[in-house]
Amino acid sequence: MIHDPNRVYVFDTTLRDGEQVPGCQLTTPEKIEIARELEALGVDIIEAGFPISSPGDFQSVVEISRAVRNPTVCALTRANKGDIDVAVESLQYAKHPRIHTGIGASDMHIKHKFNSTREEILERAVDAVKYAKRFVEDIEFYAEDAGRADINYLAQMIEAVIAAGATVVNIPDTNGYCLPNQYGDKIRFLKENVQNIDKAIISAHCHNDLGLATANSIAGLQNGARQVEGTINGIGERAGNTSLEEVVMILKTHNLGLHTNINTRNFYEISRMVASQMRMPVQANKAIVGSNAFAHSSGIHQDGFLKNRENYEIIKPEDVGFPNASIVLTARSGRHALKYHLDRLGHHLDRAELDVAYKNFLTLADNKLNLNDDDLLLLVTSDSLYGQSVQK
Ligand code: KIV
Ligand code: ZN
């Protein structure tokens, strides 16, 4: 098979990094439902869990391996034989299994998490990859806290794990620390200085502590990463992970010469499913999937949008499965927006009638937050409620 150098592999970790959020734990049937939806979305890899962490997580990896056929199913481990043995067992039914093993790469983690040395950690990393490779061909290695790791040590570690058999090397900005240019430079350095880097795919795994997860992931892809890791709705530890819907739509909107296999029209549905199952509502102004992402409410924007939607729309709502764009009526809306809605309801007012209706509308909108179609109908059918009315 010829490898397409511009293809970006999408690695979803909603069911592992996303599910680590307190209160977001799912049952196995719920995870299977999400995994099926991820398969329909077209993700390349589903990280189904951390099997050693609990019997429930183990069972979920087993069942997801049975339930999906197209995506690779991945199980997380620490760099030790016990974790890897359990992960191997959990993946026994997977058509395309992957083990994701790794260890801390920053001096902070080496000293204060492992109480160890760079040499010893390097050895453990290599041993884990070699051990996992005995059972599974596809091995992803993560260099935890790579965002804060010494770049020369990181390069040494990546070279050693590729030589040991890693097929994918994950460079996590575990603490969401990097700036986009720093993260991009890190990926470029590895691409240019690790001798055997062409034998593995570099993966970007970013966290959102400074609100930079998406920007950092894009910087990683622009500098040579060809796998991106993230979650639906950006859920995840602390401030969350990279939002997959954001990265994918950036690649679709901007011509960076990169593409994915994602069916973007499925985003809205899966976003709502994840939000409801994980009891984690999507913020209204969330890019791509928030309820206001395609809602136009100020008079100036509504006017421009109604003249030509591309004045205020860089993504078509239908491209991400949104029912449609909406013109929301508030006290900041203009006549044009009111006319649009009255026309939609079958009331075609002339200019003088619209002036009256608009005056009444502003009084109403100042007193009521959410205006619905019934409110608008009252504006054109009642003389008593909102002052002078226009009867068609
Ligand atoms: O953020 C991180 O470093 C991780 C690894 C376990 C891949 O989630
Ligand atoms: Zn993570």
Side-chain angles (χ1 to χ4, degrees):
M1 194 177 69
I2 300 168
H3 176 64
D4 174 356
N6 300 324
R7 164 87 144 83
V8 173
Y9 294 93
V10 175
F11 178 114
D12 179 275
T13 184
T14 306
L15 300 174
R16 200 278 297 170
D17 230 349
E19 211 242 2
Q20 287 174 204
V21 177
C24 284
Q25 276 67 40
L26 299 175
T27 61
T28 298
E30 286 171 331
K31 287 190 192 174
I32 291 171
E33 209 185 326
I34 291 180
R36 289 210 166 105
E37 203 62 32
L38 287 168
E39 182 171 37
L41 180 66
V43 305
D44 300 288
I45 303 105
I46 295 175
E47 187 161 54
F50 179 19
I52 192 101
S53 67
S54 74
D57 229 36
F58 176 89
Q59 202 51 34
S60 296
V61 179
V62 173
E63 298 300 337
I64 290 169
S65 298
R66 281 195 171 114
V68 301
R69 291 286 86 184
N70 295 326
T72 293
V73 178
C74 176
L76 185 81
T77 81
R78 292 165 295 186
N80 67 61
K81 290 184 176 174
D83 279 27
I84 294 169
D85 287 340
V86 174
V88 170
E89 202 188 329
S90 71
L91 288 168
Q92 61 190 298
Y93 302 109
K95 188 161 176 229
H96 312 287
R98 177 181 293 181
I99 300 239
H100 189 190
T101 191
I103 199 160
S106 66
D107 288 332
M108 182 77 202
H109 278 216
I110 292 170
K111 283 194 196 117
H112 302 288
K113 184 170 158 183
F114 297 106
N115 189 22
S116 186
T117 61
R118 286 186 179 186
E119 294 68 31
E120 196 180 285
I121 292 294
L122 190 60
E123 204 178 311
R124 283 170 68 177
V126 168
D127 286 351
V129 172
K130 280 190 180 155
Y131 185 69
K133 194 80 179 179
R134 288 202 215 162
F135 311 100
V136 173
E137 169 52 33
D138 188 4
I139 307 295
E140 175 167 340
F141 175 81
Y142 64 85
E144 197 180 4
D145 204 19
R148 294 189 297 173
D150 174 77
I151 189 67
N152 291 308
Y153 178 67
L154 182 64
Q156 190 188 356
M157 182 181 251
I158 295 305
E159 193 161 314
V161 296
I162 294 174
T167 42
V168 180
V169 285
N170 178 9
I171 313 301
D173 185 20
T174 305
N175 291 291
Y177 169 77
C178 291
L179 293 169
N181 67 310
Q182 293 171 332
Y183 190 73
D185 287 351
K186 226 169 243 284
I187 302 296
R188 180 181 292 263
F189 184 91
L190 297 174
K191 190 96 191 132
E192 290 175 353
N193 292 282
V194 170
Q195 277 181 15
N196 52 5
I197 198 71
D198 55 323
K199 297 202 165 47
I201 292 174
I202 303 179
S203 187
H205 177 117
C206 298
H207 280 262
N208 205 31
D209 299 66
L210 292 171
L212 290 171
T214 296
N216 286 349
S217 300
I218 294 293
L221 294 174
Q222 287 179 302
N223 283 282
R226 285 295 175 271
Q227 178 177 286
V228 64
E229 309 196 3
T231 60
I232 300 299
N233 300 336
I235 61 164
E237 293 257 1
R238 307 181 309 279
N241 286 58
T242 301
S243 285
L244 286 182
E245 62 276 10
E246 293 176 10
V247 172
V248 170
M249 291 314 292
I250 289 168
L251 297 184
K252 202 173 153 97
T253 305
H254 287 276
N255 188 9
L256 303 180
L258 300 173
H259 59 95
T260 69
N261 210 23
I262 294 293
N263 305 312
T264 62
R265 286 171 182 257
N266 291 26
F267 272 138
Y268 182 73
E269 190 178 333
I270 194 165
S271 162
R272 291 305 177 270
M273 176 189 276
V274 167
S276 104
Q277 292 204 352
M278 292 195 157
R279 297 158 289 275
M280 189 81 158
V282 180
Q283 74 193 54
N285 61 330
K286 166 82 181 61
I288 316 298
V289 289
S291 57
N292 286 349
F294 299 97
H296 305 272
S297 66
S298 79
I300 294 173
H301 286 208
Q302 290 174 333
D303 184 57
F305 178 83
L306 289 168
K307 284 176 177 145
N308 180 340
R309 53 196 301 157
E310 286 182 25
N311 278 325
Y312 288 99
E313 193 174 84
I314 60 161
I315 298 167
K316 290 201 190 86
E318 55 271 26
D319 284 354
V320 293
F322 234 83
N324 46 43
S326 56
I327 300 287
V328 184
L329 288 176
T330 71
R332 306 290 157 259
S333 299
R335 280 177 177 68
H336 205 163
L338 179 62
K339 178 165 169 29
Y340 164 83
H341 278 289
L342 292 177
D343 281 348
R344 182 176 61 76
L345 294 170
H347 291 269
H348 307 291
L349 308 195
D350 63 26
R351 202 189 180 104
E353 291 167 334
L354 186 64
D355 281 348
V356 175
Y358 184 64
K359 200 166 147 243
N360 293 341
F361 159 77
L362 286 180
T363 311
L364 174 63
D366 266 339
N367 292 295
K368 192 165 189 273
L369 277 184
N370 297 309
L371 297 184
N372 56 36
D373 285 354
D374 288 342
D375 295 318
L376 297 184
L377 288 171
L378 274 178
L379 283 176
V380 291
T381 52
S382 150
D383 346 276
S384 55
L385 279 178
Y386 305 113
Q388 192 186 356
S389 85
V390 281
Q391 183 79 45
K392 287 294 289 178

